[in-house]
Amino acid sequence: FNVFVQNDASLSSEKSWYLDSDLEGCDSDLTATLAWYDPPGANGCTKCLMNDLDLHIESLSSSTRYYPNGKSEPDTLNNIERVRIAKRRNFPGERFKVTVKASMLGPGYSAQ
């Protein structure tokens, strides 16, 4: 059981933050969760994120990308995103890269 928390990391527009992880000896699923505060959108807005941060996990051996919330592409609607890879998919020595990208930062948010 391991926990890694990165709080208040600064991201600029179109910049990424990543963590390279080795799962050797891991007996659990690999899970990454990203959550951030986003200001309320305008009334009636259906796609209202002011700040769009994107989370994905990539297998460094197969280049397979895993996206959050059961999607096959970046989640552009939610400010809480989670990627989970079942332990049966983890091979001994396989390395994963967890990436957070600031795809869009709203007005007044040059760094998040």
Side-chain angles (χ1 to χ4, degrees), residues 26-112:
C26 182
D27 292 331
S28 301
D29 296 347
L30 171 60
T31 302
T33 303
L34 171 67
W36 69 96
Y37 171 77
D38 205 68
N43 288 337
C45 182
T46 58
K47 186 176 178 186
C48 303
L49 286 179
M50 294 294 292
N51 302 296
D52 183 14
L53 306 180
D54 292 318
L55 170 70
H56 73 267
I57 299 177
E58 182 177 359
S59 166
L60 296 178
S61 59
S62 69
S63 297
T64 301
R65 282 193 177 184
Y66 301 90
Y67 292 98
N69 306 336
K71 297 181 177 283
S72 58
E73 59 188 24
D75 184 336
T76 60
L77 298 176
N78 297 295
N79 65 323
I80 299 175
E81 301 184 359
R82 182 176 82 160
V83 178
R84 176 196 248 164
I85 303 173
K87 69 178 181 177
R88 61 182 161 69
R89 291 188 179 171
N90 300 341
F91 299 104
E94 186 168 8
R95 298 187 69 80
F96 290 90
K97 181 170 130 178
V98 179
T99 301
V100 175
K101 180 181 179 185
S103 295
M104 179 185 71
L105 296 177
Y109 296 93
S110 59
Q112 185 72 10

